[in-house]
Structure formats: structure tokens, C-alpha cells
């Protein structure tokens, strides 16, 4: 299968700690690299993760709290000093547009490449990016300001050709693409060979949802049904549930409830409050609701596993 990886650059929350960087991730899908959020220090984390700067084609910002976007202008500036020429696309809430433009005008007038801003509507679930390999859609979240998550879905690939059957029937190479696309084959003596005999199944599609920051949304699972890997913020443990609701954040158990109700493959936690020096309490509380849960840490790379066939109830 082609690569699909999520690199964790930062999984802390707003208060800086020695242990965690603020939010930032890189999603690699079939050779393309996308950044999700860009907290302060992200460019250094990118270097540590050995992701080549020029490979990042787009940045998706969830909301305009500093711990999710303070790293953006510094990274854009460094890309320029490194001689980048390819356009960088930035997706985010509309208020980011003029702020970013003012920073670009003041700090980056000799940038050498174009920064293209795309305002996203954080209140709707909509495909905002599409190419041959994938789509990215917005996931409306409930935070203290406009905020959305992003859902990356691989597109289905064509089935694999069975070399042995192609050779057996002497099918010309020129027919391979037709057969992948669904055509069968008729032999010289008129025998019909079904396409299913000439191919094996396509690779299962995988998906990754990034949800930060948000208070618990009981209906959120409807937009996340069957995703392979869900990252959901878990700022607090159960002891701070009321506090979480007040400040529009989630507890680990609430993140796990969303994962369970959405039948996701795996849940990854992050955006930890600095009040938990040991996050195992968050992991335990989440696993009590949804066992296939992991804690994220800087330097981790996660690979969404394909959803089992016939998933969905
Ligand atoms: Zn926030």
C-alpha cells in the first residue's frame, strides 16, 4: 500500500511545557505532505521529523488561538530563505486572511514564492481540497471561536492486475487499463472472462480525522463514521469535566465516546493540559470507553489502518 502517515510535531496545549510543543502535525498521503495546525516552534519540529520543507504543499489551520498558528509566519519566512519556489496553500478561518497578508507584507516581501490563502467556512462539513489521491473536508467543531477539524480521505484505487491470468490468456498490455477499469476479456474462441478473474481487490481506502479544539459534541460521530484513525483533543481528565465544558475543551473519556460512537479504527489523544505531567490518566480514562486508544507524543508517526470490510451500522 502507498504511504499514509501522520507525524506528530506537537501535541501540547496553550501553556508551554518542557515536554510538549503546541499543536502541529504533518499528514503524508501517497507522496504528498500536508500540515495541520502550526504552533510556535513547528519549523524546528519539522526539521527533527526529517520532513523536507519543500514537500509541504498546504497548511490547514483549525482556528486562530496562538498555540495552533503562531508558527506559521516563521515557517513561511524560512521556506523563503531556503529557496522555495512552489506555491504554499494555507486553509483556515477567514480572519486569518488579513492577518497573514499583513505579516507577509511586512516580514516577507522578498519571499520568492506565492502564499495562497483559502478561507474555509468552519460551520459546515464540506470538501475544500481534492486531487487525484484524496479529499480533505472540514469538520465543524465547537470552540471559543470559529474552529474546524479536517478529515483526509484517500480515494479508492483501481484493482490490481493478476499477471498470471494476463499471461495465461495472452491478453495484450494495451488492454490492462481497460481491465483495471472494469472490462472483461473475450478469448479468440469466444470465451468470456469476467474482470473479477483477472484482478485482485484494490487496496482498502484509509482516512484520518483531526479534531482539535472542541468541547464534546454528541453528534460529531455522524461525520466521522468508520474513519481509520481519529485524533481528538483530550485536554482534561474526568476531574475537570465542568472546566472542559466551560472552556470548550474535551475530556479523554469524551474523546473516546466520539471514537466509540463513530466506530473508528483507532483513537489518538493530544492537546494535553499542562496540569497532567503524566498523561497515563488520560489514556486509562479513554481506554475504559474505547480500548484502541493511544497517546500521541512529539516524534511519533501513526499509520491509519484500513477499516475492516463491511464496516458501518
Ligand atoms: Zn483553542
Amino acid at each position: 500500500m502507498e504511504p499514509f502517515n501522520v507525524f506528530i510535531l506537537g501535541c501540547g496545549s496553550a501553556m508551554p511545557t518542557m515536554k510538549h510543543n503546541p499543536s502541529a502535525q504533518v499528514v503524508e498521503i501517497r507522496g504528498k505532505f500536508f500540515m495541520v495546525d502550526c504552533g510556535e516552534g513547528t519549523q524546528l519540529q519539522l526539521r527533527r521529523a526529517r520532513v523536507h520543507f519543500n514537500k509541504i504543499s498546504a497548511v490547514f489551520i483549525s482556528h486562530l488561538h496562538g498555540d495552533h498558528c503562531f508558527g506559521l509566519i516563521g515557517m513561511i519566512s524560512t521556506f523563503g530563505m531556503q529557496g522555495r519556489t512552489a506555491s504554499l496553500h494555507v486553509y483556515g478561518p477567514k480572519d486569518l486572511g488579513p492577518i497573514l497578508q499583513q505579516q507577509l507584507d511586512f516580514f516577507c516581501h522578498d519571499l520568492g514564492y506565492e502564499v495562497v490563502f483559502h478561507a474555509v467556512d468552519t460551520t459546515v462539513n464540506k470538501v475544500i481540497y481534492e486531487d487525484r489521491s484524496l479529499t480533505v473536508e472540514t469538520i465543524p467543531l465547537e470552540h471559543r471561536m470559529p474552529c474546524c477539524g479536517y478529515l483526509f480521505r484517500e480515494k479508492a484505487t483501481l484493482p490490481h492486475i493478476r499477471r498470471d491470468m494476463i499471461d495465461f490468456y495472452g491478453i495484450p498490455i494495451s488492454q490492462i487499463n481497460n481491465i483495471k477499469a472494469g472490462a472483461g476479456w473475450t478469448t479468440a474462441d469466444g470465451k468470456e472472462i469476467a474482470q473479477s478473474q483477472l484482478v485482485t481487490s484494490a487496496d482498502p481506502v484509509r482516512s484520518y480525522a483531526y479534531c482539535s479544539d472542541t468541547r464534546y459534541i454528541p453528534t460529531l460521530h455522524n461525520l466521522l463514521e468508520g474513519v481509520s484513525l481519529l485524533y481528538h483533543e483530550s485536554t482534561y481528565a474526568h476531574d475537570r469535566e465542568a472546566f472542559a465544558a466551560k472552556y470548550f475543551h474535551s475530556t479523554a473519556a469524551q474523546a473516546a465516546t466520539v471514537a466509540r460512537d463513530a466506530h473508528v479504527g483507532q483513537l489518538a489523544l493530544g492537546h494535553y493540559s499542562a496540569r497532567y505531567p503524566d498523561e497515563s490518566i488520560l489514556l486509562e480514562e479513554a481506554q475504559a470507553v474505547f480500548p484502541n486508544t493511544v497517546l500521541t507524543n512529539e516524534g511519533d508517526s501513526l499509520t491509519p489502518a484500513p477499516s475492516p470490510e463491511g464496516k458501518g451500522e
Side-chain angles (χ1 to χ4, degrees):
M1 289 214 284
E2 298 211 59
F4 191 154
N5 297 299
V6 179
F7 300 98
I8 306 297
L9 305 183
C11 53
S13 60
M15 184 64 77
T17 66
M18 295 300 282
K19 194 173 173 191
H20 292 299
N21 284 66
S23 294
Q25 301 183 359
V26 168
V27 182
E28 174 192 15
I29 304 181
R30 299 190 197 166
K32 299 198 175 92
F33 290 75
F34 306 97
M35 180 171 281
V36 191
D37 279 340
C38 190
E40 190 178 348
T42 294
Q43 57 173 314
L44 297 174
Q45 293 297 95
L46 202 55
R47 229 179 256 273
R48 289 192 184 103
R50 301 187 183 284
V51 175
H52 198 287
F53 283 17
N54 278 330
K55 286 195 169 171
I56 307 285
S57 60
V59 182
F60 297 86
I61 300 293
S62 65
H63 67 297
L64 301 183
H65 278 150
D67 57 324
H68 295 257
C69 61
F70 277 174
L72 188 56
I73 193 64
M75 189 180 75
I76 286 172
S77 172
T78 300
F79 283 0
M81 286 191 271
Q82 294 214 320
R84 183 183 177 113
T85 54
S87 299
L88 179 73
H89 294 265
V90 177
Y91 296 78
K94 67 174 184 349
D95 287 349
L96 178 58
I99 295 169
L100 184 59
Q101 192 57 53
Q102 192 175 25
Q103 290 183 315
L104 287 168
D105 291 345
F106 192 87
F107 295 114
C108 305
H109 32 83
D110 292 326
L111 198 56
Y113 68 96
E114 197 182 1
V115 176
V116 184
F117 179 69
H118 305 262
V120 302
D121 183 347
T122 59
T123 65
V124 294
N125 170 224
K126 187 179 164 198
V127 173
I128 53 158
Y129 173 89
E130 180 166 16
D131 65 27
R132 258 175 355 124
S133 309
L134 70 139
T135 58
V136 182
E137 58 195 86
T138 45
I139 303 289
L141 298 175
E142 294 179 9
H143 198 41
R144 301 194 302 278
M145 60 160 61
C147 180
C148 67
Y150 294 101
L151 175 48
F152 295 78
R153 292 185 196 272
E154 264 185 317
K155 286 186 180 173
T157 52
L158 294 172
H160 299 288
I161 285 289
R162 282 187 60 180
R163 195 74 247 176
D164 57 335
M165 298 301 275
I166 299 299
D167 291 345
F168 181 77
Y169 289 110
I171 299 174
I173 299 293
S174 62
Q175 294 306 305
I176 298 284
N177 282 342
N178 291 340
I179 289 168
K180 280 189 172 184
W185 175 249
T186 308
T187 61
D189 53 4
K191 191 174 168 202
E192 302 277 339
I193 312 297
Q195 187 238 19
S196 59
Q197 288 182 261
L198 304 174
V199 298
T200 54
S201 307
D203 294 333
V205 292
R206 297 161 292 178
S207 51
Y208 172 60
Y210 173 87
C211 293
S212 175
D213 300 357
T214 187
R215 70 173 168 186
Y216 172 59
I217 307 174
T219 55
L220 184 59
H221 65 90
N222 292 320
L223 298 178
L224 304 174
E225 179 62 39
V227 304
S228 315
L229 174 64
L230 167 65
Y231 171 91
H232 191 295
E233 73 125 291
S234 58
T235 308
Y236 298 110
H238 183 68
D239 65 321
R240 304 286 275 185
E241 191 178 291
F243 199 77
K246 184 175 172 195
Y247 289 96
F248 290 77
H249 283 296
S250 299
T251 67
Q254 289 171 335
T257 303
V258 173
R260 182 195 67 197
D261 292 349
H263 312 99
V264 305
Q266 188 177 46
L267 170 66
L269 301 178
H271 201 267
Y272 316 119
S273 163
R275 65 179 285 111
Y276 304 104
D278 175 4
E279 292 108 20
S280 59
I281 184 174
L282 301 171
L283 183 63
E284 283 162 22
E285 289 187 9
Q287 284 180 331
V289 179
F290 187 77
N292 195 9
T293 301
V294 293
L295 293 172
T296 55
N297 273 296
E298 286 75 7
D300 286 355
S301 102
L302 308 172
T303 301
S307 306
E309 297 253 4
K311 186 122 185 111
E313 294 161 38

